[in-house]
Structures are given as structure tokens and as C-alpha cells.
Amino acid sequence: FPTRRSSDLLMIHLIAAVDRARGIGRDNDLLCHISADLKRFKALTMNHTMLMGRKTFESLPGVLPGRPHWVLTHQSDYHVDSPAVTLFHSPEAMCAAMKAEEDYFIIGGAAMYRAFLPLADSLYLTEIDEVFPGADTFFPEWKSDEWTETEREVHDKNNNNKYKFAFAHYVKK
């Protein structure tokens, strides 16, 4: 796993929508689409580098504007024809390319969350009050006593929201 130097001033954030069972995806897609979650994702990640696995990158509707995309792939011949995309072949190489005083957002998938959770400074989670049957991708378990919840914004089920959910922000103690 990659490591960080204590002198690093950069910030690593994990951002995900998770159900009550920590489910985050099914068949390389989100478990559900919550408009407010997608807007929050865009607002938080805009102008920041997003780190993701190849499958997550391929699940996007295309290159998302305003954000560099760092994609981890173990396929040495993988190619993406976009100046916004930088390919890496190990989490260590991604960490080595990070610059001080910048924010980086890990956006998936499960292996990326597992690799970067020990290095993360904060978690931006959309906690969906539901368990989705068939979820095949999960956010890693994390020890709540190692984190402080600094924000929680609850959204009830209504005409705009098919599910009850909360935006939560946790910061490493």
C-alpha cells in the first residue's frame, strides 16, 4: 500500500454513496441515482483531481469537465485519448505524483477505497437509508472511533428523493 510523509500538506478525501450494508455499486454502476448526491459530488470535486480505478472511469458518461482524472489500471496497454486523463499502474505511483497543498478525491471503486482509506484525511459519504439487493461492490469497513463526524445533512424521502439519505463528512482524528 502507498504511504504518506507526515510533511505532506495535501488532503485525500474518499467520496462515495453507500447503503446501510456499505454497498456502493452493482454491475459497474451506482446502486441508485440521487440528484442531490450527484450535485454534491460535482461541487466537492470541481477543480480537484479525482483518482479512480479503470472500471470506475469506464462507468462515467465520459471525462467529467473541470477535474483532472487519474486512472489506475494494471493493463499496461490501456490508453485514453484525453489530456484530462493520466494513467497510473500502482497506487504508489499515484501518491508519488501528488503535490502538497492540493485536495485529491478518491471516487471508486472498492479497491481504490481500500488502498487509500489508511491515507485519507476525510470521508464525504452520502449514507442512503436503504439496503440494495444485488450490490456487488462495497465500501471498506472503517473504524468510527478513528473519525469525527463534522457535518450531517439529512434528506427525507419525498417527491424529489426516492430514498431517505444523509450527507455526512467525517474527518480523521
mmCIF file of all heavy atoms in Angstrom, residues 137-159:
data_model
loop_
_atom_site.group_PDB
_atom_site.id
_atom_site.type_symbol
_atom_site.label_atom_id
_atom_site.label_comp_id
_atom_site.label_asym_id
_atom_site.label_seq_id
_atom_site.Cartn_x
_atom_site.Cartn_y
_atom_site.Cartn_z
ATOM 1 N N THR A 137 -20.457 -4.444 -5.003
ATOM 2 C CA THR A 137 -19.273 -3.657 -4.693
ATOM 3 C C THR A 137 -19.542 -2.904 -3.397
ATOM 4 O O THR A 137 -20.632 -2.343 -3.230
ATOM 5 C CB THR A 137 -18.976 -2.660 -5.833
ATOM 6 O OG1 THR A 137 -19.000 -3.372 -7.073
ATOM 7 C CG2 THR A 137 -17.626 -2.013 -5.663
ATOM 8 N N PHE A 138 -18.535 -2.905 -2.496
ATOM 9 C CA PHE A 138 -18.763 -2.365 -1.159
ATOM 10 C C PHE A 138 -17.648 -1.419 -0.722
ATOM 11 O O PHE A 138 -16.483 -1.615 -1.066
ATOM 12 C CB PHE A 138 -18.885 -3.511 -0.148
ATOM 13 C CG PHE A 138 -20.080 -4.376 -0.416
ATOM 14 C CD1 PHE A 138 -19.996 -5.440 -1.303
ATOM 15 C CD2 PHE A 138 -21.297 -4.109 0.178
ATOM 16 C CE1 PHE A 138 -21.104 -6.227 -1.586
ATOM 17 C CE2 PHE A 138 -22.413 -4.879 -0.099
ATOM 18 C CZ PHE A 138 -22.318 -5.951 -0.981
ATOM 19 N N PHE A 139 -18.039 -0.420 0.049
ATOM 20 C CA PHE A 139 -17.083 0.487 0.675
ATOM 21 C C PHE A 139 -16.426 -0.287 1.812
ATOM 22 O O PHE A 139 -17.078 -1.077 2.489
ATOM 23 C CB PHE A 139 -17.831 1.714 1.228
ATOM 24 C CG PHE A 139 -16.948 2.874 1.569
ATOM 25 C CD1 PHE A 139 -16.518 3.733 0.576
ATOM 26 C CD2 PHE A 139 -16.557 3.106 2.874
ATOM 27 C CE1 PHE A 139 -15.706 4.821 0.879
ATOM 28 C CE2 PHE A 139 -15.752 4.191 3.190
ATOM 29 C CZ PHE A 139 -15.321 5.046 2.194
ATOM 30 N N PRO A 140 -15.130 -0.082 2.040
ATOM 31 C CA PRO A 140 -14.461 -0.853 3.098
ATOM 32 C C PRO A 140 -14.984 -0.500 4.493
ATOM 33 O O PRO A 140 -15.471 0.611 4.721
ATOM 34 C CB PRO A 140 -12.992 -0.459 2.958
ATOM 35 C CG PRO A 140 -12.999 0.848 2.242
ATOM 36 C CD PRO A 140 -14.230 0.853 1.381
ATOM 37 N N GLU A 141 -14.860 -1.458 5.393
ATOM 38 C CA GLU A 141 -15.198 -1.179 6.787
ATOM 39 C C GLU A 141 -14.196 -0.171 7.312
ATOM 40 O O GLU A 141 -13.023 -0.208 6.959
ATOM 41 C CB GLU A 141 -15.133 -2.456 7.616
ATOM 42 C CG GLU A 141 -16.264 -3.408 7.319
ATOM 43 C CD GLU A 141 -16.320 -4.551 8.315
ATOM 44 O OE1 GLU A 141 -16.221 -4.285 9.533
ATOM 45 O OE2 GLU A 141 -16.458 -5.693 7.875
ATOM 46 N N TRP A 142 -14.672 0.726 8.152
ATOM 47 C CA TRP A 142 -13.787 1.716 8.762
ATOM 48 C C TRP A 142 -14.190 1.865 10.220
ATOM 49 O O TRP A 142 -15.328 1.644 10.590
ATOM 50 C CB TRP A 142 -13.803 3.031 7.997
ATOM 51 C CG TRP A 142 -15.166 3.609 7.713
ATOM 52 C CD1 TRP A 142 -16.055 3.203 6.761
ATOM 53 C CD2 TRP A 142 -15.801 4.690 8.398
ATOM 54 N NE1 TRP A 142 -17.182 3.959 6.807
ATOM 55 C CE2 TRP A 142 -17.049 4.883 7.795
ATOM 56 C CE3 TRP A 142 -15.417 5.520 9.451
ATOM 57 C CZ2 TRP A 142 -17.937 5.864 8.221
ATOM 58 C CZ3 TRP A 142 -16.296 6.502 9.866
ATOM 59 C CH2 TRP A 142 -17.538 6.664 9.260
ATOM 60 N N LYS A 143 -13.214 2.207 11.047
ATOM 61 C CA LYS A 143 -13.435 2.297 12.494
ATOM 62 C C LYS A 143 -13.946 3.688 12.844
ATOM 63 O O LYS A 143 -13.215 4.670 12.741
ATOM 64 C CB LYS A 143 -12.136 1.997 13.231
ATOM 65 C CG LYS A 143 -11.656 0.585 12.989
ATOM 66 C CD LYS A 143 -10.327 0.334 13.661
ATOM 67 C CE LYS A 143 -9.888 -1.091 13.358
ATOM 68 N NZ LYS A 143 -8.477 -1.286 13.520
ATOM 69 N N SER A 144 -15.200 3.751 13.258
ATOM 70 C CA SER A 144 -15.818 5.049 13.527
ATOM 71 C C SER A 144 -15.097 5.816 14.636
ATOM 72 O O SER A 144 -15.118 7.041 14.652
ATOM 73 C CB SER A 144 -17.297 4.891 13.863
ATOM 74 O OG SER A 144 -17.445 4.040 14.981
ATOM 75 N N ASP A 145 -14.419 5.100 15.550
ATOM 76 C CA ASP A 145 -13.718 5.799 16.634
ATOM 77 C C ASP A 145 -12.448 6.505 16.160
ATOM 78 O O ASP A 145 -11.835 7.258 16.906
ATOM 79 C CB ASP A 145 -13.410 4.851 17.793
ATOM 80 C CG ASP A 145 -12.504 3.694 17.408
ATOM 81 O OD1 ASP A 145 -12.385 3.385 16.198
ATOM 82 O OD2 ASP A 145 -11.907 3.094 18.315
ATOM 83 N N GLU A 146 -12.054 6.282 14.916
ATOM 84 C CA GLU A 146 -10.877 6.966 14.353
ATOM 85 C C GLU A 146 -11.271 8.235 13.587
ATOM 86 O O GLU A 146 -10.413 8.918 13.033
ATOM 87 C CB GLU A 146 -10.114 6.027 13.408
ATOM 88 C CG GLU A 146 -9.507 4.834 14.119
ATOM 89 C CD GLU A 146 -8.815 3.871 13.169
ATOM 90 O OE1 GLU A 146 -8.798 4.109 11.933
ATOM 91 O OE2 GLU A 146 -8.294 2.861 13.667
ATOM 92 N N TRP A 147 -12.580 8.522 13.538
ATOM 93 C CA TRP A 147 -13.091 9.627 12.734
ATOM 94 C C TRP A 147 -14.049 10.480 13.565
ATOM 95 O O TRP A 147 -14.740 9.977 14.444
ATOM 96 C CB TRP A 147 -13.831 9.083 11.512
ATOM 97 C CG TRP A 147 -12.959 8.255 10.629
ATOM 98 C CD1 TRP A 147 -12.666 6.924 10.774
ATOM 99 C CD2 TRP A 147 -12.231 8.695 9.494
ATOM 100 N NE1 TRP A 147 -11.808 6.517 9.782
ATOM 101 C CE2 TRP A 147 -11.520 7.594 8.974
ATOM 102 C CE3 TRP A 147 -12.110 9.919 8.849
ATOM 103 C CZ2 TRP A 147 -10.715 7.673 7.854
ATOM 104 C CZ3 TRP A 147 -11.307 10.011 7.721
ATOM 105 C CH2 TRP A 147 -10.620 8.898 7.236
ATOM 106 N N THR A 148 -14.125 11.759 13.248
ATOM 107 C CA THR A 148 -15.071 12.673 13.876
ATOM 108 C C THR A 148 -16.053 13.144 12.814
ATOM 109 O O THR A 148 -15.643 13.613 11.747
ATOM 110 C CB THR A 148 -14.333 13.914 14.452
ATOM 111 O OG1 THR A 148 -13.391 13.464 15.412
ATOM 112 C CG2 THR A 148 -15.311 14.883 15.090
ATOM 113 N N GLU A 149 -17.336 12.985 13.094
ATOM 114 C CA GLU A 149 -18.343 13.496 12.164
ATOM 115 C C GLU A 149 -18.425 15.004 12.342
ATOM 116 O O GLU A 149 -18.669 15.494 13.439
ATOM 117 C CB GLU A 149 -19.701 12.852 12.450
ATOM 118 C CG GLU A 149 -20.773 13.301 11.486
ATOM 119 C CD GLU A 149 -22.119 12.661 11.755
ATOM 120 O OE1 GLU A 149 -22.216 11.426 11.663
ATOM 121 O OE2 GLU A 149 -23.064 13.411 12.051
ATOM 122 N N THR A 150 -18.189 15.739 11.262
ATOM 123 C CA THR A 150 -18.196 17.205 11.337
ATOM 124 C C THR A 150 -19.429 17.820 10.683
ATOM 125 O O THR A 150 -19.707 18.994 10.909
ATOM 126 C CB THR A 150 -16.926 17.795 10.674
ATOM 127 O OG1 THR A 150 -16.906 17.418 9.299
ATOM 128 C CG2 THR A 150 -15.670 17.308 11.391
ATOM 129 N N GLU A 151 -20.130 17.053 9.872
ATOM 130 C CA GLU A 151 -21.345 17.539 9.205
ATOM 131 C C GLU A 151 -22.313 16.386 9.028
ATOM 132 O O GLU A 151 -21.892 15.252 8.793
ATOM 133 C CB GLU A 151 -21.039 18.058 7.796
ATOM 134 C CG GLU A 151 -20.252 19.316 7.685
ATOM 135 C CD GLU A 151 -19.937 19.632 6.221
ATOM 136 O OE1 GLU A 151 -20.846 19.522 5.366
ATOM 137 O OE2 GLU A 151 -18.773 19.961 5.949
ATOM 138 N N ARG A 152 -23.603 16.690 9.101
ATOM 139 C CA ARG A 152 -24.647 15.727 8.748
ATOM 140 C C ARG A 152 -25.856 16.515 8.289
ATOM 141 O O ARG A 152 -26.365 17.360 9.010
ATOM 142 C CB ARG A 152 -25.014 14.821 9.919
ATOM 143 C CG ARG A 152 -26.200 13.886 9.567
ATOM 144 C CD ARG A 152 -26.326 12.762 10.559
ATOM 145 N NE ARG A 152 -25.181 11.880 10.474
ATOM 146 C CZ ARG A 152 -25.089 10.817 9.661
ATOM 147 N NH1 ARG A 152 -26.087 10.516 8.862
ATOM 148 N NH2 ARG A 152 -24.006 10.071 9.658
ATOM 149 N N GLU A 153 -26.290 16.253 7.075
ATOM 150 C CA GLU A 153 -27.459 16.919 6.499
ATOM 151 C C GLU A 153 -28.412 15.832 6.034
ATOM 152 O O GLU A 153 -28.132 15.116 5.078
ATOM 153 C CB GLU A 153 -26.992 17.788 5.324
ATOM 154 C CG GLU A 153 -28.086 18.572 4.647
ATOM 155 C CD GLU A 153 -27.541 19.344 3.445
ATOM 156 O OE1 GLU A 153 -26.496 20.002 3.565
ATOM 157 O OE2 GLU A 153 -28.185 19.248 2.374
ATOM 158 N N VAL A 154 -29.528 15.707 6.745
ATOM 159 C CA VAL A 154 -30.487 14.632 6.468
ATOM 160 C C VAL A 154 -31.518 15.086 5.439
ATOM 161 O O VAL A 154 -32.017 16.212 5.497
ATOM 162 C CB VAL A 154 -31.194 14.192 7.773
ATOM 163 C CG1 VAL A 154 -32.260 13.132 7.494
ATOM 164 C CG2 VAL A 154 -30.168 13.675 8.776
ATOM 165 N N HIS A 155 -31.809 14.197 4.505
ATOM 166 C CA HIS A 155 -32.825 14.444 3.477
ATOM 167 C C HIS A 155 -33.854 13.326 3.562
ATOM 168 O O HIS A 155 -33.518 12.155 3.387
ATOM 169 C CB HIS A 155 -32.185 14.459 2.079
ATOM 170 C CG HIS A 155 -31.210 15.570 1.900
ATOM 171 N ND1 HIS A 155 -31.536 16.742 1.263
ATOM 172 C CD2 HIS A 155 -29.923 15.692 2.300
ATOM 173 C CE1 HIS A 155 -30.487 17.547 1.274
ATOM 174 N NE2 HIS A 155 -29.492 16.934 1.890
ATOM 175 N N ASP A 156 -35.086 13.698 3.822
ATOM 176 C CA ASP A 156 -36.148 12.705 3.925
ATOM 177 C C ASP A 156 -36.642 12.280 2.547
ATOM 178 O O ASP A 156 -36.491 13.007 1.564
ATOM 179 C CB ASP A 156 -37.322 13.261 4.742
ATOM 180 C CG ASP A 156 -36.988 13.357 6.215
ATOM 181 O OD1 ASP A 156 -36.349 12.422 6.744
ATOM 182 O OD2 ASP A 156 -37.353 14.380 6.829
ATOM 183 N N LYS A 157 -37.237 11.112 2.542
ATOM 184 C CA LYS A 157 -37.881 10.597 1.332
ATOM 185 C C LYS A 157 -39.044 11.536 1.009
ATOM 186 O O LYS A 157 -39.823 11.893 1.888
ATOM 187 C CB LYS A 157 -38.385 9.189 1.660
ATOM 188 C CG LYS A 157 -38.875 8.369 0.544
ATOM 189 C CD LYS A 157 -39.271 7.020 1.141
ATOM 190 C CE LYS A 157 -39.449 5.980 0.104
ATOM 191 N NZ LYS A 157 -39.734 4.673 0.694
ATOM 192 N N ASN A 158 -39.124 11.993 -0.259
ATOM 193 C CA ASN A 158 -40.218 12.879 -0.658
ATOM 194 C C ASN A 158 -40.351 12.834 -2.180
ATOM 195 O O ASN A 158 -39.787 11.950 -2.821
ATOM 196 C CB ASN A 158 -39.987 14.317 -0.145
ATOM 197 C CG ASN A 158 -38.689 14.909 -0.656
ATOM 198 O OD1 ASN A 158 -38.258 14.653 -1.786
ATOM 199 N ND2 ASN A 158 -38.040 15.716 0.180
ATOM 200 N N ASN A 159 -41.065 13.782 -2.745
ATOM 201 C CA ASN A 159 -41.261 13.788 -4.203
ATOM 202 C C ASN A 159 -39.949 13.914 -4.966
ATOM 203 O O ASN A 159 -39.845 13.469 -6.105
ATOM 204 C CB ASN A 159 -42.213 14.919 -4.611
ATOM 205 C CG ASN A 159 -43.636 14.664 -4.156
ATOM 206 O OD1 ASN A 159 -43.992 13.530 -3.854
ATOM 207 N ND2 ASN A 159 -44.439 15.708 -4.086
#
